[in-house]
Amino acid sequence: MNKKVLLKGGHVIDPANNIDGDQDVLISNGVVQAVGPGLDADGAEVIDVTGKVVAPGLIDIHVHFREPGFEESETVATGAMAAVAGGFTTVCPMPNTDPVTDNQAAVGFIVKQARDAGLARVLPIAAISLGQKGEKLTEFGEVIGAGAVAVSDDGKPVVSSHLMRTALEYAQTFDIPVVNHCEDPTLAEGGSMHEGLVSSRLGLKGIPSAAESIMVARDVLLAELTGGHIHLCHMSTKESIDIIRQAKARGVNVTAEVTPHHLVLQDAKCEGYDTNSKMNPPLRTDVDVQACVDALVDGTIDVVATDHAPHHYELKEREFENAPFGIVGLETALGLCISQLVDTKLLTLSDLISKMSHLPAKVFGIPGGDLAVGNPADVVVFDANEKWEVDPDSFRSKSKNTPFAGWELKGRVHRTMVAGRTVFELGVS
Amino acid sequence: MSAVSLGKDLIGLEHLTPEQIQLVLDTAEPFKEVSERQIKKVPTLRGKTIVNLFYEASTRTRISFEFAEKRLSADTVNIAASGSSIVKGENLVDTARNLEAMRIDMVVIRHPSSGAPGFLADRIPSNVVNGGDGKHEHPTQALLDILTIRDNLKTISGLKVCICGDVLHSRVARSNIWGLLALGAEVGVCGPKSLMPYGLEELGVRFFPRPEEAIEWADVLNILRLQLERMNAGFIPSLREYNRVFGITNARLERAPKDILVLHPGPMNRGVEIDSDVADGPHSVILDQVTNGIAVRMAVLYLLAGGKPDLAEGAKG
């Protein structure tokens, strides 16, 4: 059956195709059939999107869905539901599950769970090393064959420089990025927040900025040595960004991401031992936040990724040092970025969309982020001016661990479509 | 009549006003005498139930609190982490709720995690007293230190107090810094840079890299215990070298330009951070600190229970 849908009266922003204007989008059989002004309905179901932005579905290359192993915090299905509620049509879950996603069966399981859920596209990231132990390489060819799109030991850094070098070399056969969580474990050990005046006052062991930047420097040098593609997770320090900027100027094959929270919050948010402000890398200083924002604006940091890290409330309801790192991010990312970056005129809406859809697809070499005719109709429809208050109880994610409860954000997702099918509609549960 | 009060809990000195700190010190004065009596007991907290919840080993602090509670006639229960449901994996929230269900009035908590007492205080209606949390605060220790200094030097404002040793891991240091700064003292710290927290100077604290300079500057030295684990963790090369470079010895004290008062929160490592001839010598007020500890803790419990400072004299009964 040839099902047609016409998104009528909206403002289309499709950075990959240089479109930023009042146009309609006609979808046929799940693919984009036409984009242009005043399109004829031609028997299609018409959805009035007047006053709203129509953009390629957002892509988040860094999430944690906790399945298998930690289903009390999130599952692939609930994570995918949170994704589409936040406007994301493609997400890449990290392999730090239990068991670790380090073989084709484990990758296949996540792909199957995602297919059963039938919501967002879920493209798993497999582990670099077996069991994320940092010793022996995963069978990259096997996991990619099963559907993985990148490799990472995220949650743990790749400590061995030799292993990282080998991964960067071996990954080139498959043309995939090696994704690293940069953290020198000997500097970070026992730390639970940024090392600074706030950690001194609170009596919490700090994680110095150098713990991250030291490994960023190493990874950049190894990418330069090998010609491999290193993708750096959740950059948080000014020093890391300086290193990436210099490396890019030299032509090193390095890409990087930043989370919405590192663009918005400082270490002072940990005052009162708020465990929903405990994440890794930790919230850092004003100078670092500014450096992250500048780097995203000038392209030193390529993309926004949420590091969506759900934790069951019981795990966060404890002493700061004993609580796990991480916060949920899928359902607040767009609103935070519009409020903090577009509303402040640091980025145009089109640039933001690019850094949350087109560029993430490019960085990982995966489909999406582009409304060209013939492409699958993965679409987000949002009101860029609508204000809403963050209420964790309304999250689709199984977990509610956010530091943004009660924040008023601008920019609200109204509809998310994957392959032309509406998988989320605001107000329809 | 003063309108100053401590509020529901005593979590730390950082957020107390100078008036609140003064209130505790002044309220402690009349309680000192209770411990000197033949019958060391007043009926002030009769009928109140206090739980001493100790997640970390403690001798001095726990006994001092227990004496303070008993001399105020409160009913007390001691819970130590070992031998309780805590070792069975019960989390702090559940422990708190269970205690609350037994209708207690106050909790004195010592915990290895910074912030645990505040966490507890936010979740139960009972008064919570911090008996030392992680590397955060140990407010009653600082209050008794400050009371001891005041007893000996009659004032705090304008004094130069240097805290010597492992400031990085010390809750005693942090509480002393807040309390002393609030009351107008100048505060210094002295020790190896590897045992100093980040950014102390930004709080208005002077750093002395060597004890000789600290001794030349200070009216008071508060010498912290060097925990032996720090050596294994690589913060310092050896205890022997620590004593050679940073130990407070009579030879060093003799070069002080003025009389210097020496405090130590205990327990001491004689021959490491402090030499015996200093600990037992004329500068030392270390045992006065222990005596004052009970009066300060009686004052804190009394004030949190709603006692009026001006009635403390009468409350002695």
Side-chain angles (χ1 to χ4, degrees):
Chain A
M1 193 185 98
N2 185 1
K3 184 168 166 18
K4 288 191 174 188
V5 179
L6 180 66
L7 298 173
K8 191 156 190 61
H11 181 104
V12 174
I13 298 181
D14 180 14
N17 297 298
N18 283 316
I19 297 173
D20 188 349
D22 292 344
Q23 301 198 1
D24 300 337
V25 176
L26 182 64
I27 298 163
S28 171
N29 269 340
V31 300
V32 178
Q33 185 181 322
V35 179
L39 293 182
D40 195 352
D42 191 22
E45 176 198 349
V46 177
I47 298 173
D48 180 13
V49 292
T50 307
K52 302 197 173 60
V53 173
V54 178
L58 306 180
I59 296 176
D60 189 349
I61 57 175
H62 189 153
V63 300
H64 298 269
F65 281 173
R66 306 303 185 206
E67 187 182 4
F70 311 99
E71 290 86 349
E72 73 281 9
S73 294
E74 195 83 288
T75 63
V76 173
T78 59
M81 188 66 230
V84 296
F88 291 89
T89 52
T90 298
V91 287
C92 302
M94 285 292 182
N96 58 340
T97 46
D98 183 17
V100 169
T101 312
D102 62 1
N103 60 72
Q104 54 182 338
V107 172
F109 170 72
I110 293 168
V111 170
K112 178 191 172 294
Q113 293 302 84
R115 196 171 53 229
D116 289 352
L119 296 162
R121 299 179 196 273
V122 178
L123 309 179
I125 299 169
I128 292 173
S129 65
L130 289 175
Q132 294 191 308
K133 290 201 175 96
E135 291 161 5
K136 239 175 139 279
L137 285 184
T138 302
E139 293 168 329
F140 289 7
E142 298 288 311
V143 292
I144 289 158
V149 295
V151 288
S152 177
D153 276 356
D154 184 64
K156 288 180 183 169
V158 176
V159 176
S160 158
S161 301
H162 169 70
L163 184 74
M164 179 50 88
R165 175 199 172 143
T166 314
L168 282 165
E169 288 169 338
Y170 191 63
Q172 290 176 52
T173 304
F174 310 98
D175 199 19
I176 53 162
V178 176
V179 181
N180 198 17
H181 164 129
C182 291
E183 181 181 11
D184 179 325
T186 63
L187 284 173
E189 193 196 348
S192 53
M193 65 172 294
H194 173 66
E195 179 177 303
L197 200 51
V198 181
S199 68
S200 291
R201 287 184 29 245
L202 294 179
L204 292 170
K205 184 160 190 306
I207 302 172
S209 291
E212 174 180 292
S213 348
I214 280 175
M215 200 169 279
V216 167
R218 181 204 70 174
D219 283 358
V220 157
L221 292 171
L222 290 175
E224 196 162 21
L225 173 69
T226 60
H229 175 189
I230 183 78
H231 176 75
L232 304 167
C233 292
H234 41 54
M235 289 293 97
S236 71
T237 81
K238 181 182 183 303
E239 295 78 11
S240 299
I241 286 161
D242 289 343
I243 292 164
I244 298 167
R245 191 172 281 126
Q246 291 165 14
K248 284 194 164 184
R250 292 201 303 277
V252 178
N253 193 0
V254 53
T255 53
E257 67 190 38
V258 64
T259 71
H261 47 274
H262 286 109
L263 296 169
V264 175
L265 299 176
Q266 292 86 0
D267 58 347
K269 192 80 175 62
C270 299
E271 295 271 5
Y273 303 92
D274 174 15
T275 55
N276 282 333
S277 299
K278 178 178 177 180
M279 58 280 279
N280 194 8
L283 299 172
R284 301 200 189 267
T285 68
D286 270 328
V287 172
D288 298 301
V289 170
Q290 192 54 52
C292 287
V293 170
D294 292 347
L296 184 67
V297 170
D298 73 17
T300 302
I301 289 179
D302 301 80
V303 303
V304 175
T306 66
D307 192 10
H308 178 81
H311 290 292
H312 189 254
Y313 80 90
E314 198 178 277
L315 299 170
K316 282 286 197 181
E317 179 73 354
R318 47 178 53 220
E319 305 87 335
F320 195 89
E321 289 169 324
N322 300 336
F325 291 104
I327 61 168
V328 292
L330 284 166
E331 293 172 76
T332 48
L334 182 64
L336 278 169
C337 289
I338 290 178
S339 305
Q340 298 292 325
L341 301 170
V342 178
D343 230 24
T344 52
K345 311 256 183 263
L346 291 165
L347 283 180
T348 63
L349 191 52
S350 177
D351 284 341
L352 177 66
I353 299 294
S354 180
K355 291 170 196 299
M356 295 181 80
S357 64
H358 176 55
L359 291 174
K362 237 173 99 178
V363 164
F364 266 26
I366 54 179
D370 181 337
L371 293 180
V373 170
N375 276 357
D378 291 0
V379 178
V380 59
V381 177
F382 63 94
D383 185 330
N385 296 307
E386 184 177 337
K387 292 180 174 166
W388 60 286
E389 191 181 303
V390 178
D391 171 16
D393 287 338
S394 73
F395 284 172
R396 265 68 170 187
S397 170
K398 224 173 184 182
S399 293
K400 319 293 173 193
N401 50 313
T402 176
F404 300 111
W407 281 42
E408 190 187 76
L409 300 182
K410 203 168 161 183
R412 189 166 209 191
V413 175
H414 280 248
R415 180 184 297 270
T416 306
M417 304 171 90
V418 172
R421 190 168 66 88
T422 295
V423 287
F424 171 77
E425 192 179 344
L426 185 63
V428 180
S429 53
Chain B
M1 283 286 284
S2 116
V4 182
S5 83
L6 275 191
K8 175 176 151 316
D9 312 296
L10 179 65
I11 302 303
L13 300 190
E14 180 178 2
H15 300 292
L16 291 194
T17 62
E19 293 72 28
Q20 287 174 309
I21 295 170
Q22 212 80 55
L23 171 71
V24 180
L25 300 179
D26 293 345
T27 306
E29 287 297 339
F31 284 122
K32 283 180 184 171
E33 181 263 341
V34 174
S35 298
E36 305 303 326
R37 294 182 189 178
Q38 199 72 40
I39 296 171
K40 300 177 180 54
K41 213 172 183 71
V42 294
T44 318
L45 294 186
R46 191 154 56 202
K48 298 277 186 192
T49 310
I50 304 181
V51 173
N52 299 314
L53 184 56
F54 277 64
Y55 286 77
E56 252 183 18
S58 162
T59 306
R60 194 172 323 244
T61 302
R62 188 179 55 74
I63 290 175
S64 181
F65 266 110
E66 205 176 335
F67 274 134
E69 291 153 4
K70 289 196 153 77
R71 287 174 194 181
L72 290 169
S73 303
D75 296 315
T76 66
V77 177
N78 293 324
I79 304 175
S82 56
S84 74
S85 52
I86 296 157
V87 289
K88 296 180 189 163
E90 184 173 81
N91 66 33
L92 185 53
V93 184
D94 287 337
T95 303
R97 288 190 188 131
N98 278 283
L99 290 174
E100 203 59 42
M102 295 181 207
R103 304 290 179 261
I104 58 160
D105 299 293
M106 290 191 183
V107 180
V108 177
I109 177 173
R110 160 157 305 186
H111 200 285
S113 292
S114 300
F119 178 90
L120 189 65
D122 290 344
R123 283 160 182 79
I124 61 173
S126 304
N127 308 103
V128 174
V129 182
N130 181 0
D133 63 326
K135 303 180 278 289
H136 178 225
E137 288 228 37
H138 191 351
T140 57
Q141 177 69 46
L143 288 165
L144 73 88
D145 291 347
I146 293 169
L147 182 65
T148 307
I149 298 171
R150 192 175 80 167
D151 284 351
N152 283 275
L153 302 177
K154 307 301 165 217
T155 178
I156 299 297
S157 180
L159 282 182
K160 296 185 169 98
V161 181
C162 188
I163 302 165
C164 302
D166 180 5
V167 178
L168 179 64
H169 300 98
S170 175
R171 51 194 174 216
V172 176
R174 283 171 181 73
S175 288
N176 264 281
I177 289 169
W178 301 124
L180 290 164
L181 288 175
L183 297 183
E186 290 181 57
V187 181
V189 292
C190 173
K193 198 74 198 268
S194 54
L195 291 175
M196 291 295 146
Y198 177 95
L200 265 190
E201 284 96 336
E202 288 176 58
L203 303 173
V205 173
R206 275 181 76 155
F207 170 60
F208 296 97
R210 298 190 63 93
E212 292 80 6
E213 300 162 41
I215 286 167
E216 185 158 336
W217 174 82
D219 300 303
V220 180
L221 297 182
N222 197 346
I223 303 162
L224 302 172
R225 168 183 170 77
L226 184 82
Q227 296 190 326
L228 306 183
E229 323 61 291
R230 302 305 170 215
M231 186 178 67
N232 300 328
F235 288 96
I236 53 163
S238 72
L239 297 181
R240 179 176 161 277
E241 170 153 303
Y242 187 87
N243 181 257
R244 293 279 176 93
V245 182
F246 297 101
I248 303 302
T249 61
N250 256 342
R252 287 198 166 112
L253 279 184
E254 274 160 15
R255 292 206 228 126
K258 53 196 165 191
D259 254 353
I260 227 165
L261 200 66
V262 172
L263 288 84
H264 191 300
M268 289 184 279
N269 295 309
R270 291 169 180 263
V272 182
E273 72 271 4
I274 187 167
D275 274 7
S276 283
D277 47 3
V278 175
D280 305 326
H283 301 285
S284 167
V285 290
I286 294 170
L287 292 174
D288 297 351
Q289 288 173 271
V290 178
T291 309
N292 276 342
I294 296 176
V296 159
R297 290 175 176 120
M298 288 171 83
V300 167
L301 297 169
Y302 171 75
L303 290 168
L304 291 180
K308 297 281 179 285
D310 28 347
L311 299 180
E313 190 69 39
K316 296 190 313 178

